Amino acid sequence: MTTLDVSVSAAGPARPPVRPVRSAAERRLIRKGLLFAAPAMVLMVAIYGLPLVMLGGFSLTDYQLGAIDWSFVGLANFTRAFHDPVFLRAMANTALYAAIVIPCGVFGALGIALLVHGRRRSRALWETAYFLPVTATLVAMATVWQFLLHPTLGPVNAAIKALGFEPVSFLGTPALLIPTMALIGVWQILGFNMVLFLAGLTAIPKDLTEAARMDGAKSPVDRFLTVTWPMLGPTTMFVVVTSSITAFKVFETVAVLTKGRSGSETLLYELYLEGFDYSNTGYAAALTLIFLAIVLVLSIGQTLRMERKVHY
């Protein structure tokens, strides 16, 4: 037996760590804290937890809104969804919409923020001008866009004809529906993302920029790549995640401009049709869970991937 074994045997078996004993005052303080937090916890469970549980229950049935009889169908609604050509087309259209809105909404807002941040006297004017679409009601603005893109009366096609080209039916050509609505979506989120980037730019210490200039980063591009862009990491991550969620939640422009006709189906509008127009509550609940899973996986995946490259 080695010296270590003898010492251990003499000391006896290792004792488990002793938990600190809380005093009566500490226990009363914990109970009071839980008591104060209880209303908020109950409210969160009532608002988020119970509806999610009911949604999961409905997704396993063939329940229709207002029906008396319903039956348990298991995963049949989910199987039906992935064999439904309309739902699959809605997923593809939503993915295309997001592929246009996310990069354009992020990098476009970053470019505008850099330009506005460098202004002196007119900065407030440009901030207000770019932020106005965020404050406007999208349903009303969609009606305005419907007039702007009209093939005969709209000013957009008037400008196209003035340049010598044939007018384009942006809202009548199936292949152009999603790109057109995506451009409207970019127009809507640019102002909000610009404000976030402006806040991030304002928080960057000027000493870092001056130090980079003295170290040889003479051009604005070099200073942007070495200082500004790395320091904007947390803001960029937040903007990308929020823009992704907003892109997948597109609904108002589809409802106003196209009424969900062929070529413009999106996930959220398909949920609305199945749940409220067709009263297929069980099937709509299954589609909702699929939609929530897609958004959740996308958000967590983006956060985990970008978190490694973000400098705080």
Side-chain angles (χ1 to χ4, degrees):
M1 183 180 293
T2 63
T3 305
L4 179 61
D5 294 335
V6 172
S7 62
V8 171
S9 301
R15 295 180 179 180
V18 179
R19 295 181 180 179
V21 179
R22 293 190 176 93
S23 64
E26 290 178 338
R27 291 195 295 269
R28 285 196 300 269
L29 186 62
I30 293 174
R31 286 196 295 269
K32 288 181 180 179
L34 293 176
L35 186 62
F36 277 109
M41 295 172 62
V42 171
L43 191 61
M44 288 185 63
V45 171
I47 294 177
Y48 298 107
L50 291 180
L52 192 59
V53 171
M54 294 180 63
L55 187 68
F58 278 126
S59 67
L60 302 177
T61 68
D62 62 352
Y63 178 75
Q64 291 188 335
L65 189 63
I68 300 177
D69 297 327
W70 54 273
S71 59
F72 179 80
V73 297
L75 299 178
N77 287 324
F78 297 92
T79 304
R80 173 187 170 187
F82 288 105
H83 290 83
D84 186 356
V86 178
F87 179 70
L88 296 178
R89 190 162 60 245
M91 290 183 62
N93 289 340
T94 306
L96 175 60
Y97 180 92
I100 298 174
V101 169
I102 296 172
C104 294
V106 173
F107 293 107
L110 175 60
I112 295 173
L114 290 171
L115 294 175
V116 173
H117 185 68
R119 309 297 296 180
R120 290 289 185 265
R121 299 179 179 177
S122 59
R123 175 172 174 171
L125 173 64
W126 290 111
E127 288 178 353
T128 304
Y130 280 109
F131 196 74
L132 278 177
V134 182
T135 63
T137 305
L138 189 56
V139 174
M141 297 312 299
T143 306
V144 174
W145 276 102
Q146 192 172 29
F147 166 74
L148 293 175
L149 300 175
H150 195 277
T152 56
L153 303 176
V156 174
N157 271 299
I160 292 176
K161 288 189 288 185
L163 294 174
F165 298 99
E166 293 294 325
V168 180
S169 179
F170 293 98
L171 300 177
T173 306
L176 296 178
L177 287 174
I178 294 299
T180 300
M181 290 189 295
L183 292 178
I184 298 175
V186 172
W187 168 83
Q188 182 199 9
I189 68 172
L190 272 180
F192 181 74
N193 291 347
M194 177 204 68
V195 170
L196 295 177
F197 277 121
L198 281 174
L201 290 171
T202 305
I204 298 177
K206 294 183 179 179
D207 297 342
L208 294 178
T209 306
E210 294 299 327
R213 183 184 287 109
M214 295 178 63
D215 287 341
K218 301 298 182 181
S219 68
V221 176
D222 292 335
R223 292 193 294 273
F224 172 79
L225 295 177
T226 56
V227 177
T228 306
W229 182 241
M231 293 296 292
L232 284 177
T235 304
T236 304
M237 183 178 67
F238 180 78
V239 170
V240 170
V241 173
T242 55
S243 298
S244 303
I245 296 174
T246 302
F248 274 85
K249 286 168 50 182
V250 56
F251 176 80
E252 293 90 344
T253 49
V254 180
V256 175
L257 295 179
T258 67
K259 302 293 189 300
R261 64 174 176 267
S262 180
S264 67
E265 304 94 338
T266 58
L267 284 175
L268 209 56
Y269 194 78
E270 181 67 14
L271 301 181
Y272 165 76
L273 289 180
E274 292 291 344
F276 295 97
D277 276 15
Y278 308 148
S279 299
N280 294 328
T281 306
Y283 184 53
L287 299 185
T288 304
L289 288 179
I290 295 174
F291 172 76
L292 292 176
I294 292 174
V295 174
L296 185 63
V297 170
L298 180 66
S299 302
I300 295 177
Q302 288 177 332
T303 302
L304 294 178
R305 184 174 182 180
M306 297 182 66
E307 185 77 20
R308 304 170 185 172
K309 304 178 181 179
V310 171
H311 302 280
Y312 291 97

